[in-house]
Amino acid sequence: MPSWAVSNLYTARATATGGRAGSTRSDDGRIDLNLSVPAGMGGDDGPGTNPEQLFAAGYAACFQGALGVVARRQKLELSDDSLVTARVGLQKTGLVFGLDVELEGHFPGLSREQGQALMEAAHQVCPYSIATRGNVDVRLSVR
């Protein structure tokens, strides 16, 4: 295989039944969740999670990993207290639904400018950021 060829490192697999008010389970059983429709979307606001929460959790974790990679490349040390909060909104325009994302970083020991530059750099390498680029409005901020 040529050195430039893509190689798959890992594939996750999950199956959903019942749509937004159903359930979802990963093939290895590590995720086995009931889903509920939030009241803001006309649902019963039951005890289950929802796709937006799952996306927010995945994006925040992936972006935090990308921040670590970028920080190491830039010879910056991230505090163990650094964190990323992802807010994922579901929007409706006419008959079309879309996502809206805000990623907020908190970086004790770094200036706001350093944190913002780190967020911008991580946004260029994070797989979730690459996947959403051009399709989802993603805003970056530092607290």
Side-chain angles (χ1 to χ4, degrees), residues 3 7 13 20 28 30 32 41 44-45 47 51 59 61 63 71 79 85 89 94-95 114 121 136 138 143:
S3 62
S7 64
R13 183 174 174 202
R20 287 182 164 274
D28 62 6
R30 292 179 183 180
D32 192 355
M41 293 176 59
D44 66 358
D45 210 23
Y59 203 158
F63 201 84
S79 161
T85 300
L95 299 175
Q114 286 175 309
V136 175
V138 179
R143 154 166 74 108

Side-chain angles (χ1 to χ4, degrees), residues 17-112:
T17 60
R20 287 182 164 274
S23 64
T24 188
R25 185 176 195 284
S26 62
D27 63 342
D28 62 6
R30 292 179 183 180
I31 295 174
D32 192 355
L33 301 170
N34 290 323
L35 302 172
S36 297
V37 179
M41 293 176 59
D44 66 358
D45 210 23
T49 189
N50 60 66
E52 290 71 34
Q53 287 178 327
L54 294 169
F55 188 78
Y59 203 158
C62 187
F63 201 84
Q64 181 75 30
L67 284 164
V69 168
V70 170
R72 283 189 297 279
R73 287 179 184 167
Q74 295 181 7
K75 308 253 189 285
L76 289 173
E77 184 150 343
L78 286 180
S79 161
D80 289 341
D81 295 332
S82 71
L83 55 90
V84 172
T85 300
R87 293 178 186 86
V88 175
L90 182 66
Q91 300 178 330
K92 183 178 180 187
T93 305
L95 299 175
V96 178
F97 291 91
L99 297 176
D100 174 70
V101 175
E102 180 183 358
L103 299 172
E104 179 184 71
H106 176 65
F107 309 109
L110 296 182
S111 70
R112 180 176 299 279

